[in-house]
DNA sequence: GATTAAACGAGACGGTACGTCTAGTCTTGAA
DNA sequence: TTCAAGACTAGACGTACCGTCTCGTTTAATC
């Protein structure tokens, strides 16, 4: 899964003059990730990023409006590269797969540091929240939607008629998966290992099945 | 639920000299919460907090090492005051209760802003993480443990023999509840309303029951 | 008598980047003198100087290392502007002229306040002492040397053959003149009026003549 | 020459309560001199002095109004102890003696640092100037008066009839001696050695004699 | 090939907050 | 009442970054 290259937003891109260096974009984003790992969000300074990238501060500010925007772009690239959902054959396997994949991403030092910081900042900045949503959150959510679709095709989960209700259920599942992994990783600060993933998957799939067929729980019981 | 007063960490609290003013502690924590709501984490300055509290900056720095420590203490007090778990008669009702209560707390502007910021910072600072854990996380987790205990007494959930496994299960449940609420509130930025709480509770209780009695889930249908 | 402009010491003055504003230099030095007169050395704060000059504190610190350096430069400009020695026709008249001129300078509030403070500080800081010497002391001493040269041309004083001895004598005369005026003005805190200048001149010229022609002092009586 | 012990100014010394410790006074003054030598005026802090003296800051403030007063007292004690003028038999020898003695005092690190600093401060503070005058300056001046008196008794200098004129002459001589030594020591930062003292004495005595008997300089020519 | 408009590096600029320091005062309990 | 201890208010210190602004210098697309 790879999306449009995030760099430079040039509203009225002119035709003449020296074009912006693509090298600079790359160098800046790479330097941002490196600095993030070394220093953390709080001590990350744009002057330092520019110096690492071998670029003047003005060049950096010509392309990004500030720290938040820059870091979101730098981190979003990682989410682009590392999220995908091959069909593992069952709802159970797919859930476990997505949990482990998401956890692996969150345990990288640059994402661990950056994600929470950017999200924290987004509680005060609607534009930033939208940016995070489209660059990061929605990419994760699409995996959950895809997995659910497959489970419905396989008959593991019923297909909901009401579109709005279906969307609400999808959101709920997404919040549960992403939330549990984030909380385990960043707040509880414990690793998401195979055992935890197995337990979580059993709980979630059990819940989904129980809710889907209330009173007569699951034809296909999870193989726990 | 009310715990020890968080104030002043004085390593070798001496017997002589003028004692620290308890008024100052109160004024500073109150001012911190107010400033947090008005300005948000990023624009919160300790000089401003001191001015609001009618206190010199040095007095503030004598008691807290920095912004993080101060804000954790200021916010932790809210968690002390606003978390409790009356027995609502069933696992289902207890889960729904704890979800709504936790969400209400997280939707207060001061906690919303502060919690993520502090957690973000804690990814780089072990001392801060421990502080958060003991001041905030553990208080929430104790509610989950209490609810589970009650459910086991009622016979809604089996009592696990293996202590370590029991602890792991408790951690899992806690990460799922807290994570889902946090993610819904702060990342998805959608309200935790009665409908969402109902859906989440059904999913979680369904999962717990299915996992606990695999192959014959249910009995007590999750409709409160 | 006007020497090189004292401004900014930029070790390896670079060719690139935005050049330093010359206006800022002027504004800062002017503001420093004004603040010195109003507040005195002890209450002079660099933040206040910066504010008066309409300049950021950082701009000030970029150019001067601290209070001492700044004030020396600010005051040195006055010594540049106000010291000169027109030929008054006789040793006697020249001495009286230089005494009155130096006293007038020392009685200006900004010099009175600053000179002693800076000199006091210089007892602990060799770099500062060198700075004072080249910016202030040497300018005064050159007047004394000039006056002596003229007196020798006129035949009022003998020309010393031994260069080292001549230099020692010049230093001695300088210490006597400058020391007496400084002590009268700043320690005894009495005015250097025409009468005092006349008495001092008689004493000094008498001494010089007596020493130069021991046993037969005078010839030219010291009554101008 | 030893004067009243300068310490503690207790306006209405009370009869009851714990008496003030005399040890404390001594310890504070000694600590002040030590700190002055080590740190210089600018970095001398009263907190540090109190700590060195093994005394609480309050004790210090109970006895002296501030830094200036304390340092003047601490230094004045040295002037008490080290100034005296034995009769050396001639004006010439007496001048040389007083010059060397005063120079020796000024070259002690604690006086060198303190005297200028206190004098500098006194340009803004009349009370401080009076204090310096009575504690330091007048003690020096009395030596000059004494030496002049002796010279008049010996017939080396004429006795002036006009009291006011006599006082003016005495002041002038004092400013020349003290000023030259101070300027040589602190501004020119050169040592007052035997050679300099000889040259200065010749100049001054020559001047005094020439002025006293204008047109027929000195019966007793200096033996330079 | 000359022109030209924008990007570039360097670094100074006005600001703001930082966390530390010192001055001088006040409050405690013990002597 | 003084003492040691140490908390208190007030405010300057010098530093670090922020984001903007000049400079003089490339650099490609257009003429």
């Amino acid at each position: 899964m790879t999306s449009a290259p995030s760099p430079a937003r040039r509203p009225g891109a002119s035709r003449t003059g020296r074009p912006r260096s693509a090298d600079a974009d790359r160098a800046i984003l790479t330097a941002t990730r490196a600095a993030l790992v070394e220093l953390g969000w709080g001590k990350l300074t744009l002057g330092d990023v520019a110096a690492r990238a071998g670029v003047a501060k003005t060049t950096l500010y010509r392309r990004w409006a500030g720290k938040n925007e820059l870091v979101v772009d730098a981190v979003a690239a990682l989410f682009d590269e590392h999220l995908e959902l091959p069909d593992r054959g069952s709802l159970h396997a797919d859930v476990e797969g997505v949990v482990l994949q998401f956890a692996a991403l969150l345990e990288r030092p640059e994402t661990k540091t950056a994600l929470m910081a950017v999200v924290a900042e987004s509680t005060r900045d609607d534009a930033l929240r939208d940016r995070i949503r489209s660059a990061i959150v929605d990419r994760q959510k699409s995996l959950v939607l895809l997995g659910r679709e497959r489970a419905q095709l396989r008959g593991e989960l019923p297909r909901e008629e009401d579109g709005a209700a279906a969307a609400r259920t999808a959101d709920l599942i997404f919040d549960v998966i992403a939330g549990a992994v984030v909380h385990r990783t960043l707040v509880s600060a414990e690793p998401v290992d195979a055992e935890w993933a197995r337990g979580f998957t059993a709980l979630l799939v059990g819940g989904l099945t129980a809710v889907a067929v209330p009173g007569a729980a699951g034809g296909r019981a999870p193989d726990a």
Side-chain angles (χ1 to χ4, degrees), chain A:
Chain A
M1 183 198 244
T2 305
S3 73
S6 45
R9 52 234 83 276
R10 219 173 339 173
S14 68
R15 210 151 312 281
T16 69
R18 177 174 174 176
R20 289 189 180 167
S21 157
D23 285 354
D25 269 315
R26 272 189 297 278
I28 291 169
L29 290 174
T30 303
T32 302
R33 282 187 288 266
L36 210 45
V37 174
E38 270 182 49
L39 307 171
W41 171 272
K43 308 214 157 173
L44 178 79
T45 72
L46 296 198
D48 184 47
V49 168
R52 284 165 189 256
V55 139
K57 243 193 327 170
T58 28
T59 299
L60 200 155
Y61 276 105
R62 201 174 292 119
R63 295 161 195 235
W64 285 276
K67 201 168 167 173
N68 292 329
E69 287 74 9
L70 173 60
V71 173
V72 172
D73 273 10
V75 172
L78 297 174
F79 282 75
D80 275 359
E81 294 165 19
H82 297 284
L83 290 182
E84 54 186 352
L85 184 63
D87 190 334
R88 289 180 176 84
S90 73
L91 170 61
H92 206 270
D94 278 358
V95 168
E96 208 167 313
V98 85
V99 162
L100 288 170
Q101 188 180 65
F102 188 36
L105 188 53
L106 272 189
E107 273 163 358
R108 293 168 65 110
E110 60 269 47
T111 43
K112 178 184 290 199
T113 294
L115 185 63
M116 293 300 271
V118 173
V119 167
E121 198 61 28
S122 79
T123 59
R124 308 227 96 231
D125 180 344
D126 289 348
L128 182 60
R129 183 167 57 221
D130 292 346
R131 195 179 186 75
I132 292 171
R133 202 193 299 260
S134 66
I136 297 180
V137 176
D138 284 352
R139 296 186 202 287
Q140 295 172 30
K141 192 186 283 188
S142 69
L143 292 192
V144 170
L145 293 176
L146 175 60
R148 186 168 181 240
E149 183 76 15
R150 285 187 191 146
Q152 288 171 335
L153 287 175
R154 291 190 204 102
E156 292 168 307
L157 292 177
R159 186 170 296 277
E160 291 184 72
E161 300 305 320
D162 180 353
R168 275 201 303 277
T169 306
D171 281 353
L172 173 61
I173 298 171
F174 174 58
D175 282 329
V176 169
I177 295 177
V181 173
V182 166
H183 200 269
R184 172 81 178 173
T185 307
L186 301 181
V187 182
S188 297
E190 306 272 2
V192 171
D193 53 20
E195 183 179 354
W196 190 90
R198 208 177 312 126
F200 173 78
T201 302
L203 185 63
L204 176 62
V205 173
L208 286 173
T209 314
V211 169
V213 194
R220 288 165 133 277
D223 57 352

